[in-house]
Amino acid sequence: MGYKVQILPTAWEDLKHIEDWYYMNFNADTAAKVSSHILDCIERLERFPDSGSLTPDPWLNDMGYRMVIAGRHIAIYKAIRESVYIYHIADTRSQYTKLFY
């Protein structure tokens, strides 16, 4: 039995901003490919919730957050019981750890 992945509203908003950026700067196909790649990486957490890495932030790690890398993007998540909650999706070059402060 796998974990249930739940993408929280803040993470959906993050993904929408990423899609919009790729749409405006490239095209609809690129935006769709980037979004699909991120969602595919997140989907793997259903089977392997511990496969993500520790974050570069000690506080986030102490709180049980992990991250999964999807190309230039990361998804910050926490596994609780049989669920994986996706809190944020961000560009790896941003200061994404500050999203929690």
Side-chain angles (χ1 to χ4, degrees):
M1 180 174 150
Y3 279 61
K4 180 178 180 182
V5 173
Q6 298 186 44
I7 301 175
L8 299 175
T10 52
W12 281 119
E13 285 181 38
D14 295 339
L15 185 61
K16 178 67 175 133
H17 290 299
I18 291 166
E19 288 177 337
D20 289 347
W21 188 89
Y22 278 93
Y23 179 81
M24 297 299 292
N25 290 282
F26 296 98
N27 56 46
D29 287 340
T30 301
K33 285 179 187 175
V34 169
S35 178
S36 289
H37 179 64
I38 292 169
L39 292 172
D40 288 345
C41 291
I42 289 171
E43 185 178 309
R44 282 187 233 138
L45 295 171
E46 290 176 349
R47 295 181 308 271
F48 308 106
D50 295 325
S51 65
S53 306
L54 294 175
T55 74
D57 186 290
W59 181 83
L60 289 175
N61 297 334
D62 290 345
M63 298 303 292
Y65 293 97
R66 296 180 70 84
M67 67 180 186
V68 64
I69 299 171
R72 291 187 145 178
H73 301 92
I74 54 96
I76 304 288
Y77 72 95
K78 187 188 282 192
I80 302 172
R81 295 185 190 86
E82 280 78 45
S83 294
V84 173
Y85 298 93
I86 309 297
Y87 288 84
H88 284 287
I89 300 169
D91 190 301
T92 57
R93 298 166 294 172
S94 69
Q95 295 181 349
Y96 56 87
T97 58
K98 292 187 178 186
L99 294 169
F100 291 85
Y101 293 102

